[in-house]
Amino acid sequence: PTRHRATGGRAPVMTETPSVAGLVLAGGLARRMGGGAKALKHLAGRPLLAHVLDRIAPQCQAIVLNANGDPGAYETFGYPVLPDVVAGFAGPLAGVLTGLEWLHQTREADWLLTVPTDAPFLPDDLVTRLLAGITEDAEIAVARSDGRTHPVVALWHRTLLQPLRTALVAQDIRRIDRFTAGRRTVHVDWPTAGGDPFLNINTPEELEAAETRFGAAT
């Protein structure tokens, strides 16, 4: 396991390669896609979730899925499925909290990588680049491209469990960027010359455009 030096209550200073577990946020309602599980919508003949897993699985020590509803729908992917620990479809922050709760219980890693299920072009260097961007006391590293932040594509230190639980449950903070604005957060930039690696698919039209991009890249 990764060893750290205490920093007076701050996020630990990394002294060797940190461990990272991945959480795919698949708990949304996909209203703009016509409902149903967005993770299971097909791109290039395969579920969106399969493309995302292909990208991040080699970069993480462990993977879990955050999804509500019937977990059996995801059984074929071979990863544990965790429903939100907060009821009422509280949004992506509920998924992050779910992942941090799992991390606390399992001790799988020191950092949690979160990604959405609708971003099939995630970069192969996502974890290494986010880790490289972490400053000494940072708690969160968020991806950014073309000046736009992608709050659900981020690394979260395991020590954020209690602060996030308080923010979500006691203070009813639902927006990720509202929470990250109050924490020690760094942003890590990516080039977009070959297309935005954080393109996310919310509508049938965007799914069709992704089909075109996917075909051009193969």
Side-chain angles (χ1 to χ4, degrees):
T2 304
R3 295 188 295 275
H4 299 93
R5 174 169 58 82
T7 56
R10 294 189 168 193
V13 174
M14 292 178 288
T15 56
E16 59 184 69
T17 303
S19 52
V20 176
L23 176 79
V24 182
L25 297 163
L29 298 175
R31 292 186 180 96
R32 285 182 286 172
M33 287 287 286
K38 188 191 293 188
L40 304 180
K41 303 289 184 182
H42 276 220
L43 169 67
R46 303 175 66 218
L48 281 173
L49 178 56
H51 293 285
V52 172
L53 289 170
D54 283 351
R55 297 285 179 146
I56 69 163
Q59 305 183 54
C60 299
Q61 278 86 346
I63 297 283
V64 291
L65 312 178
N66 165 232
N68 299 296
D70 178 17
Y74 303 92
E75 186 175 1
T76 57
F77 295 97
Y79 294 102
V81 179
L82 309 177
D84 286 347
V85 293
V86 177
F89 292 98
L93 268 183
V96 179
L97 179 61
T98 300
L100 290 174
E101 292 272 15
W102 167 78
L103 213 58
H104 175 73
Q105 293 167 7
T106 63
R107 304 290 180 183
E108 287 282 359
D110 293 316
W111 293 86
L112 180 73
L113 172 72
T114 58
V115 298
T117 191
D118 60 0
F121 304 106
L122 290 170
D124 294 332
D125 61 350
L126 181 58
V127 169
T128 55
R129 199 168 182 134
L130 285 174
L131 286 174
I134 292 173
T135 54
E136 181 172 297
D137 65 346
E139 302 168 295
I140 306 168
V142 178
R144 184 169 59 190
S145 59
D146 276 344
R148 178 189 173 198
T149 59
H150 306 280
V152 295
V153 183
L155 284 178
W156 310 76
H157 196 266
R158 58 184 176 82
T159 54
L160 288 167
L161 173 60
Q162 292 299 338
L164 179 53
R165 183 187 289 144
T166 298
L168 187 61
V169 177
Q171 300 170 347
D172 198 34
I173 291 176
R174 299 295 181 95
R175 291 182 59 87
I176 289 185
D177 52 5
R178 185 180 169 198
F179 176 75
T180 58
R183 309 304 304 184
R184 294 185 296 276
T185 302
V186 296
H187 295 95
V188 182
D189 289 293
W190 261 265
T192 58
D196 191 342
F198 306 111
L199 174 76
N200 63 308
I201 298 170
N202 292 305
T203 66
E205 292 76 18
E206 289 171 347
L207 182 60
E208 184 176 345
E211 287 276 4
T212 301
R213 175 174 166 180
F214 192 91
T218 55

